[in-house]
Amino acid sequence: RRPGPPAMTVMPPTSSPRDDDPRQDAPVPPESERFLNREIQWLEFNERVLEQAIDERTPLLERVRFLSIFSSNLDEFFMKRVGGLRRQAAAGVSLTYDGLTPTEQLAAIRCRVLPLIDRQARVYRERIMPALEDAGIRIRAYRDLDAAQRARAKRWYRDQVYPILTPLAVDPGHRFPFISNLSVSLGVLLRRPGESDLRFARLKVPDSMPRWFDVGDRTFVWLPDVLTANLGDVFPGMEIVRVLPFRVTRNADVERDFEDADDLLEHLEQQLRERRFAPVVRMQVEADPDPEIMAFLADELELRPEDLYETRGLIEYRSLDVIADLDRPELQFEPWQPVTSARLTDPDKDIFSIIRQGDVLVHHPYDSFDTSVVRFISEAARDPNVLCIKQALYRTSGDSPFIADLIDAAEHGKQVAVLVELRARFDEQRNIQWARALEDAGVHVAYGVVGLKTHTKIALVVRQEGSGIRCYGHVGTGNYNWKTARLYEDFGLLTCDPEITDDLIDLFNYLTGRSLQEEYTRLLVAPVAMKQRFIGLIDREIEHRRAGRPARIIAKMNQLQDHEVIDALYAASRAGVEIDLIVRGFCTLRPEVPGLSETIRVSSIIGRFLEHSRLFYFRDGQSDPVDGTFLIGSADWMYRNLHARVEAACPIRPRELRTRLWAILEIYLGDRRQAWDMHPDGSYTQRDPAGASTPAATSGTHRALMRAMLGASPITLEQITAQLASAVVTPAPDGAS
């Protein structure tokens, strides 16, 4: 094993400020001035997503996809955050540090969302649709189809759609039907010929059918539009008076107390049933809706005026993925085939012998997930010398190779233990299915620590080698999902460092048994000590700065919200520590505020690959920045991650790997194509590529990293590192795709 840097010495956790605490040097503003509102900052993030659909430098079909992503994000926001605020308002509690009550936040959210969805509709109508038309992809209303196209649509409707439609009348003999979450329905007012009384009926747009139908020559019509035009088939003999397409969003913030649950799986299934019938928090309709249908629906669904959202665009942009997936490569991002790390390309070596030669750092999707992490578990399942496999699964794909490998390992006599997090939001049902499949195969399945979600991404393999055993581990920042690993940016470390694998053994015992383990040699583990150790590392940078030694903090994460960590960063800034925060999503810290955060810069990178990794850097007084402390992990600096989840962060020890991480950080900080800079008021400005000094800064983080990996053909890790370090000035090889 190669020698690494000395073990980290961090300041002990404190429950109250110490007399010599450097954070006590100067008074700080009140909480309402130190922290931005989380919900508004999340909407700022989603506006940056919407900007990708507006940006004409983005390939056209990818702009269509970003319209879908924006809406998908907003759906989840209403289900989780707006639903949660509704519960807080009803209970009369407030859980924020910015001074806004739940009712005030709900009002502020609506004021922010309305112009966003109006802007989305204008982008769709005025920019995307004309651009699609120019590219030979036409979106048409049913009434605008020519006779031949209408005949094809009608034939498809009669053959494929009509047989599965279920119209539901509402009258004294028929109760108002259940409206499922995120479903699209038609509210129909009809009457008998010669009568004046109007009757209401609901027709659900079937989820099993594609929302867009190609009537020929890449001309698409929306399924609800087809249904509206053919309602006479559904209600024969009745007069169709008015029709209103609508879509409902239900509260998903339905939490149950799991502390006293005898059977967590059964308890969670009951929660999922309750979520199906949770209150509606939003109804989307087209602009200028029929007031009579609106009033009827609002009454039946118990909606208030502020729950209704009108749009002059689509009420369901998520369906546009069908358009975005068209086979038009010239209108999409260039295909990227992940590269196998040179360390893992030797066909004569098993992965364990490779790891014994030194830790392997992988950066997905630039490095292949299949030939590194999937291979790690797959070889472990087949290797006769492997005695035990342990893995924590938070989210995985529907056809996950991990599940098959773990089942195969158990059936061949290996001890297999899997931590399945049943409460991974919106993946609960899938995880329940996997848990049962694993249990049926004889795998030891645990559901985690009571009261905590298990969010850490770790795996452990125990292998017989000679007269003893050796442990191998994987610590990652992303889920064990081989599909999203091609789409999301993440880090992972494969190691047999005994200090790390010993920590993994203790952490798995904490997850599957009854352990009060709080001390770990190398890993930073939440909720027991991660937060205190991160704050200790921040405080140590203050000490280095005051002693005249180099001090700097760089942290890359998804969100930043924990107020104690933010206060520690403020203290470091007041001490003069230079701090760069790369926060993709929402950030409640105020950067560059005189006297509070003058040396803190916050940027956000939005683009092709979801910036999912968490990477933390502390200069630690070192003259060479590469000799500082680098950690990768599963936790953002959020209260929920640091207090209510099991998380792990791992130091990167070999110098060649730290050199690579430093080069990656420089690429992120130098981006002038996809990066946005945050201002003290929480607003953002996209960087201007005109000021870039290198081609990579102009082309963006993702392309720079792709170029680095395309050039990573040498055999040695040192040569790969050199390629990566020079990526900001080295163009891709001629002919590279």
Side-chain angles (χ1 to χ4, degrees), residues 273-410:
R273 286 191 288 269
E274 292 178 5
R275 184 187 293 174
R276 288 189 65 236
F277 300 97
V280 175
V281 296
R282 177 182 61 164
M283 184 169 76
Q284 297 165 271
V285 295
E286 295 177 347
D288 305 320
D290 179 80
E292 192 168 354
I293 300 180
M294 282 280 286
F296 180 80
L297 291 172
D299 182 61
E300 292 290 344
L301 296 171
E302 299 180 349
L303 299 175
R304 296 167 293 185
E306 58 267 29
D307 301 328
L308 307 176
Y309 286 82
E310 299 180 24
T311 177
R312 296 192 179 277
L314 298 173
I315 62 172
E316 189 191 39
Y317 287 92
R318 295 172 72 167
S319 64
L320 287 175
D321 284 340
V322 173
I323 308 297
D325 288 336
L326 290 174
D327 186 18
R328 293 290 299 275
E330 75 279 13
L331 302 178
Q332 296 160 327
F333 286 130
E334 296 176 20
W336 168 250
Q337 183 64 36
V339 175
T340 297
S341 170
R343 286 282 309 283
L344 300 173
T345 56
D346 191 336
D348 298 323
K349 290 184 178 180
D350 62 78
I351 197 166
F352 303 109
S353 63
I354 293 171
I355 296 172
R356 287 196 299 274
Q357 294 175 349
D359 291 356
V360 178
L361 177 72
V362 284
H363 189 196
H364 313 300
Y366 312 105
D367 289 307
S368 171
F369 187 76
D370 291 352
T371 59
S372 56
V373 183
V374 173
R375 176 185 174 188
F376 177 62
I377 298 298
S378 179
E379 285 195 23
R382 299 193 308 269
D383 190 332
N385 295 319
V386 168
L387 307 175
C388 174
I389 305 173
K390 299 183 180 183
Q391 191 171 14
L393 295 178
Y394 185 72
R395 300 186 196 274
T396 190
S397 54
D399 50 355
S400 170
F402 295 109
I403 302 297
D405 286 334
L406 293 169
I407 290 174
D408 183 61

Side-chain angles (χ1 to χ4, degrees), residues 389-531:
I389 305 173
K390 299 183 180 183
Q391 191 171 14
L393 295 178
Y394 185 72
R395 300 186 196 274
T396 190
S397 54
D399 50 355
S400 170
F402 295 109
I403 302 297
D405 286 334
L406 293 169
I407 290 174
D408 183 61
E411 291 176 344
H412 284 82
K414 292 179 171 58
Q415 180 175 316
V416 181
V418 179
L419 190 290
V420 179
E421 180 46 73
L422 296 180
R423 291 162 291 172
R425 184 94 67 163
F426 307 124
D427 274 345
E428 296 97 337
Q429 194 61 54
R430 176 181 293 168
N431 285 3
I432 287 172
Q433 294 170 358
W434 288 134
R436 285 182 167 148
L438 290 165
E439 286 179 329
D440 290 344
V443 173
H444 301 295
V445 178
Y447 302 132
V449 181
V450 174
L452 302 173
K453 279 188 178 181
T454 302
H455 189 249
T456 183
K457 292 82 167 74
I458 54 174
L460 179 71
V461 172
V462 182
R463 191 170 186 267
Q464 182 75 45
E465 295 183 1
S467 60
I469 63 171
R470 189 191 301 267
C471 294
Y472 298 81
H474 172 261
V475 180
T477 68
N479 296 310
Y480 290 109
N481 187 318
W482 73 286
K483 288 185 177 179
T484 59
R486 290 175 170 268
L487 306 173
Y488 297 174
E489 179 269 342
D490 273 302
F491 289 108
L493 180 72
L494 294 165
T495 182
C496 60
D497 182 336
E499 291 184 319
I500 294 176
T501 57
D502 285 352
D503 279 353
L504 288 175
I505 293 171
D506 290 337
L507 181 52
F508 271 110
N509 289 341
Y510 172 72
L511 291 172
T512 61
R514 294 187 179 275
S515 166
L516 298 177
Q517 178 81 19
E518 293 189 4
E519 298 296 327
Y520 295 86
T521 303
R522 291 289 174 182
L523 296 184
L524 278 64
V525 176
V528 295
M530 178 182 284
K531 181 173 178 175

Side-chain angles (χ1 to χ4, degrees), residues 601-617:
R601 296 166 293 274
V602 178
S603 62
S604 171
I605 294 177
I606 303 289
R608 175 172 184 174
F609 300 128
L610 180 72
E611 291 298 323
H612 190 259
S613 70
R614 290 90 171 180
L615 171 60
F616 307 97
Y617 169 77

